[in-house]
Amino acid sequence: MNPPDLGPADCPEQLCHNGACRSADLTALLSPDVRWLWDQVARRADQRGDAAMDRGTITITAPHTPAQRAAVIGLLAPRPLPAGRTRRIDLEHLTQALQRRGPRLTPGAVAAHALSRPLAHRAADKARLTARLTTLQRQRSRLARALPPTAPVQPDDTGWDSLRRRGSLARLLQHPHPEQLLSAAFAVLQHLPASARADRRHLAHTTTGNPHALDAGTELAALVLAEAAATARADAGASTSVREAWDRLGVDLDTLTGGLLTLGVHPTGWHIPPGQPSILIPWVLHRATWPAPRHNEDRWVFLTENPSVAAAALDGDPGDVRLLCTVGTPSRTELDAVARLAATGWRIAVRADFDCAGLALVRAVLDMVPEAEAWRMTAADYTASLHPSPFEPGVLDLDRLGDTPWEPALADAMRACGRPAYEEGLIDQLLADLRHGYPPISQGLVHPGHESWRAAADPQLLTTARGNLTARSPLPEIICPEHTQSPGGRYSAR
């Protein structure tokens, strides 16, 4: 029989379900010799999620101590159970035996008092969690079906598992109002631009009334990006910045800050005094057109990651230096602007730090501008950049390092040494290249997408930046400084 629904508060110790201990004599039932029985009842109750345990059967194992087996005579059997033997027990019969000592007692209620803890909470919590997730999943399906067909992100039911794997569902459940958060996320998805672009603050205000609702670190921003990633529209994973993920959705984090630092490179119609740097903000980069190189003009534009290169160029006479600086990871807007610059006839030489982010930057530029070339990004350049005695040597995340298709030996050298190296380590050589106006001819590296690579008849020859053919020389042996803690301190380039 099921106990009457009196509420858990009716148990003075808040242990048993629905106050089943009221008006009961538990003294003999809580004897230490009977504890073995309640231990087994409690374990099964936790597995079932049944706090009463007054229905069905369970299998118990009799203890070896005679006193313990004798203590349950009258509850389970008319005579002692064989030691170590299992016995299937009818829980309704056990309940009837218990209720001779209390009209509402159940096996689960007695076990809870014997162990001094409520039973079946874990299973009950899991059941409540499952029900909660089911409710949210149905709400998500309704919201997805209500999106207009023009919405650029169209979540479907298969994306639910992706949200689970990414931990988005766990964060959703931790929110004080998960249904409201889910509704707000789909309001944002509904207002994503289908073709034009939107400012993130304006989008947030339109959908939530708070211009900061989609700021970095907010639960709403994380959920929107997770939904977009589940549809493969904007993946903000380890290799993708949050800015780039928003950019793929047509959302600008800020069109008036950031952008490209420029020196000697300006959009059509701009008149900047010679040697003066400027910042091309994203708003400008979206709309910029670039002048084509003049006749007989050196056609190289250098692209670097760190503003320290530009600062060093300005310390001397910048002259005709043409330099773009991303000041960190470039956005899609910046990459598009560089691609349009290359389309007018300028040749791009790109480099960055020798670390995970730097290699990702170079790969991104070479993917966006196939005719661009890596600039001083060889295994030998990496070794030359390593500081001989760094105060706190950094460690490369080898899982995120990626490959270096312009020279596979570079990635091998970096993995062997295990340390990052920075553009500042080659500052003199970089400044010399900037003054000359083209990357070093002796480097002999050309990106595989470049037409001169395809035109080379001899695989041992490479077309250089100046259009001449030079023999590819074997790379030198790479020596990693002895103080590095990474394995394989010595590396021989392939």
Side-chain angles (χ1 to χ4, degrees):
M1 69 175 58
N2 289 320
D5 189 7
L6 300 178
D10 288 336
C11 174
E13 300 177 55
Q14 297 288 297
L15 294 174
C16 65
H17 60 89
N18 300 327
C21 63
R22 287 288 188 178
S23 303
D25 180 9
L26 297 175
T27 303
L29 298 174
L30 300 183
S31 165
D33 286 336
V34 192
R35 170 68 181 258
W36 67 271
L37 173 61
W38 308 130
D39 280 336
Q40 298 185 43
V41 170
R43 283 197 297 271
R44 196 70 182 102
D46 291 338
Q47 294 170 356
R48 288 187 183 180
D50 179 6
M53 291 297 288
D54 58 351
R55 299 280 184 174
T57 63
I58 63 170
T59 299
I60 63 169
T61 302
H64 290 279
T65 304
Q68 291 178 323
R69 300 197 304 275
V72 298
I73 294 177
L75 289 178
L76 301 181
R79 57 183 182 274
L81 300 172
R85 300 290 295 275
T86 59
R87 174 73 62 86
R88 184 174 294 277
I89 302 299
D90 187 315
L91 290 173
E92 290 191 39
H93 291 167
L94 177 57
T95 301
Q96 292 172 4
L98 292 175
Q99 290 181 352
R100 292 196 292 267
R101 296 179 178 272
R104 295 194 297 270
L105 284 181
T106 65
V110 179
H113 281 275
L115 275 61
S116 299
R117 68 173 178 84
L119 305 186
H121 271 208
R122 184 177 301 175
D125 290 344
K126 184 177 180 180
R128 284 191 292 269
L129 176 62
T130 300
R132 189 77 159 138
L133 284 172
T134 300
T135 299
L136 291 172
Q137 186 177 15
R138 290 172 179 170
Q139 178 191 3
R140 179 180 178 272
S141 296
R142 291 194 300 270
L143 292 170
R145 290 193 298 269
L147 286 175
T150 56
V153 175
Q154 295 283 345
D156 56 26
D157 290 341
T158 61
W160 186 255
D161 289 337
S162 175
L163 295 179
R164 187 192 304 276
R165 290 191 301 271
R166 292 171 179 270
S168 301
L169 297 185
R171 292 191 294 271
L172 178 62
L173 288 170
Q174 293 171 0
H175 193 273
H177 306 290
E179 290 85 0
Q180 295 179 19
L181 177 61
L182 193 59
S183 295
F186 273 80
V188 174
L189 296 180
Q190 181 177 348
H191 286 83
L192 287 175
S195 57
R197 300 189 67 83
D199 178 80
R200 185 174 63 172
R201 293 185 182 90
H202 182 68
L203 174 65
H205 185 269
T206 299
T207 53
T208 71
N210 179 3
H212 299 289
L214 292 173
D215 284 359
T218 62
E219 293 295 336
L220 180 58
L223 183 56
V224 170
L225 292 180
E227 287 285 7
T231 64
R233 179 62 191 266
D235 189 354
S239 61
T240 306
S241 68
V242 172
R243 178 181 289 272
E244 184 176 354
W246 281 114
D247 192 71
R248 291 177 181 177
L249 296 176
V251 178
D252 297 317
L253 271 62
D254 189 348
T255 60
L256 299 178
T257 61
L260 290 174
L261 170 65
T262 71
L263 182 61
V265 185
H266 309 294
T268 302
W270 284 43
H271 300 283
I272 304 294
Q276 295 298 310
S278 62
I279 299 291
L280 301 184
I281 61 176
W283 189 91
V284 171
L285 292 175
H286 276 307
R287 298 158 177 79
T289 59
W290 304 99
R294 296 187 297 271
H295 182 63
N296 292 330
E297 183 177 28
D298 285 330
R299 294 172 175 246
W300 286 97
V301 172
F302 295 87
L303 177 64
T304 187
E305 176 183 9
N306 297 311
S308 58
V309 179
L314 288 169
D315 284 342
D317 179 12
D320 294 329
V321 168
R322 287 185 292 272
L323 177 66
L324 298 175
C325 180
T326 64
V327 194
T329 301
S331 68
R332 181 59 61 93
T333 297
E334 294 163 13
L335 293 174
D336 285 341
V338 173
R340 295 199 307 276
L341 178 66
T344 65
W346 293 99
R347 302 180 69 180
I348 307 299
V350 57
R351 78 168 331 278
D353 289 330
F354 291 102
D355 59 12
C356 297
L359 296 189
L361 185 156
V362 174
R363 286 193 296 266
V365 172
L366 296 181
D367 287 342
M368 182 67 74
V369 187
E371 63 272 19
E373 297 182 12
W375 168 34
R376 291 196 183 271
M377 292 293 291
T378 68
D381 293 321
Y382 164 67
T383 303
S385 301
L386 286 166
H387 194 285
S389 56
F391 170 59
E392 292 181 345
V395 178
L396 289 171
D397 183 349
L398 300 184
D399 292 335
R400 293 182 51 231
L401 189 63
D403 57 3
T404 51
W406 61 93
E407 186 184 82
L410 171 59
D412 293 341
M414 293 175 68
R415 287 190 174 91
C417 199
R419 277 179 43 203
Y422 304 100
E423 290 193 280
E424 290 79 3
L426 289 178
I427 198 69
D428 292 338
Q429 296 94 319
L430 301 184
L431 290 177
D433 295 342
L434 291 172
R435 302 276 188 266
H436 293 152
Y438 50 84
I441 296 177
S442 60
Q443 183 169 317
L445 284 181
V446 180
H447 185 258
H450 195 283
E451 60 182 358
S452 57
W453 178 285
R454 296 190 296 269
D458 186 344
Q460 297 300 315
L461 299 179
L462 290 175
T463 305
T464 68
R466 302 294 288 173
N468 301 319
L469 289 179
T470 181
R472 171 188 275 182
S473 57
L475 290 171
E477 184 179 52
I478 307 299
I479 307 295
C480 188
E482 294 180 356
H483 65 267
T484 182
Q485 299 178 1
S486 56
R490 186 178 181 88
Y491 169 75
S492 296
R494 295 177 183 174

